[in-house]
Amino acid sequence: PPGGAAWGGGAPAPRPEWALSAAPREPQLSMPLAPSRLAPYEVDEGGDPVSEAGVSRVAEAPPAPRPVMLASEGRFLRGTLTHVLLQHLPALDPAERRRAAQGLVATRGRSLSVRVRESIVAETLAIMDDPSFAPLFGPDSRAEVPIVARIPRPTGRGPALSINGQIDRLALIGGEVRMIDYKTNRPPPGRAEEVAEAYLLQLAAYRLALREVFPDLPIRAAILWTDGPRIMPFPDVVLDRATARLWDLPMARLDA
């Protein structure tokens, strides 16, 4: 063939040393942001808070949860079902929502007590029926929005922040981007200063990513506490402090 050795006619060259080993991973910050896995508050098998006073003495300790409820899916079943209902109920006719909610919770929440199942349906329908929440579920809103981003450090030096999560509700309202996170803590904190840091870091990271998508619009973040229900907006100054703490997270590999 034309070209002789250039076409493979010569002896193959030995592989270089670097080709015999895996490439080193680039160090970066990785923020675990699956909402159903963030648990700064202890909960029982029904998703209700564990009272420290109630478990401090053996005589008053509640019965041990069933093994199935100790699995992560069981412990967070209240939150999982609430998320599913808030995702799908807005698309249904209001007259059909209660029946659909009861059917879904009965099927997927069989391991929960009747009391817990009824409270999940009641809380969710209270949100759907409250006119003050209507804009969050309007035509300019989306549920369960996946978000993936890699945000460089502000200084330009050091590992970037890797964000891989899902926003519960995203809406465009009055020229602003509204980011809503659902939380099922019972009872919820009364003030923004009492909210667990894990939740604030989650919102701060999402806000960083959304600023890349909507650079010209203000990003407003809030938690919708389903026990109430009640919306808790967070001032920029609160999330600014959480954003600064993001860069102090321990280094993590991509697959951590």
Side-chain angles (χ1 to χ4, degrees):
W7 284 85
R15 284 183 294 179
E17 188 67 27
W18 58 263
L20 303 177
S21 59
R25 291 184 181 272
E26 180 181 356
Q28 67 175 359
L29 298 174
S30 182
M31 181 67 181
L33 295 175
S36 62
R37 296 296 177 267
L38 285 173
Y41 307 105
E42 281 298 313
V43 295
D44 63 15
E45 67 268 25
D48 288 325
V50 173
S51 168
E52 293 183 4
V55 299
S56 59
R57 288 175 287 178
V58 174
E60 297 180 3
R66 289 164 288 169
V68 66
M69 301 309 296
L70 293 176
S72 60
E73 286 302 318
R75 293 185 67 234
F76 294 97
L77 192 51
R78 175 189 287 274
T80 299
L81 292 174
T82 301
H83 276 72
V84 172
L85 292 176
L86 289 174
Q87 178 181 358
H88 295 291
L89 288 184
L92 300 181
D93 185 280
E96 298 295 323
R97 288 172 180 168
R98 178 173 296 276
R99 181 183 61 82
Q102 290 172 335
L104 185 143
V105 172
T107 300
R108 297 182 57 174
R110 289 189 298 269
S111 57
L112 299 175
S113 69
V114 173
R115 177 188 64 82
V116 172
R117 294 200 300 266
E118 289 177 348
S119 71
I120 292 172
V121 172
E123 286 179 0
T124 308
L125 291 178
I127 295 170
M128 294 286 93
D129 295 339
D130 191 329
S132 63
F133 297 134
L136 301 178
F137 301 96
D140 292 327
S141 68
R142 296 291 183 272
E144 306 296 329
V145 179
I147 189 162
V148 178
R150 189 171 184 273
I151 309 297
R153 281 177 175 264
T155 61
R157 301 182 61 182
L161 177 67
S162 177
I163 301 171
N164 189 343
Q166 192 161 272
I167 299 173
D168 293 337
R169 197 82 192 179
L170 195 64
L172 289 175
I173 302 174
E176 297 181 344
V177 177
R178 302 283 183 90
M179 170 180 58
I180 308 299
D181 196 42
Y182 306 144
K183 298 299 181 190
T184 57
N185 301 94
R186 301 163 59 82
R191 299 182 302 130
E193 294 78 11
E194 299 170 352
V195 173
E197 183 179 44
Y199 292 170
L200 297 179
L201 292 175
Q202 178 187 4
L203 292 175
Y206 285 163
R207 189 181 64 158
L208 278 177
L210 287 176
R211 282 176 171 172
E212 299 294 314
V213 182
F214 303 99
D216 300 322
L217 295 179
I219 311 295
R220 307 301 182 199
I223 286 179
L224 171 55
W225 302 104
T226 61
D227 182 20
R230 180 168 60 93
I231 282 279
M232 179 184 285
F234 291 90
D236 285 340
V237 65
V238 173
L239 293 186
D240 289 344
R241 290 196 294 264
T243 300
R245 294 195 295 274
L246 283 173
W247 306 108
D248 296 326
L249 292 174
M251 294 253 239
R253 297 190 310 176
L254 274 169
D255 58 349

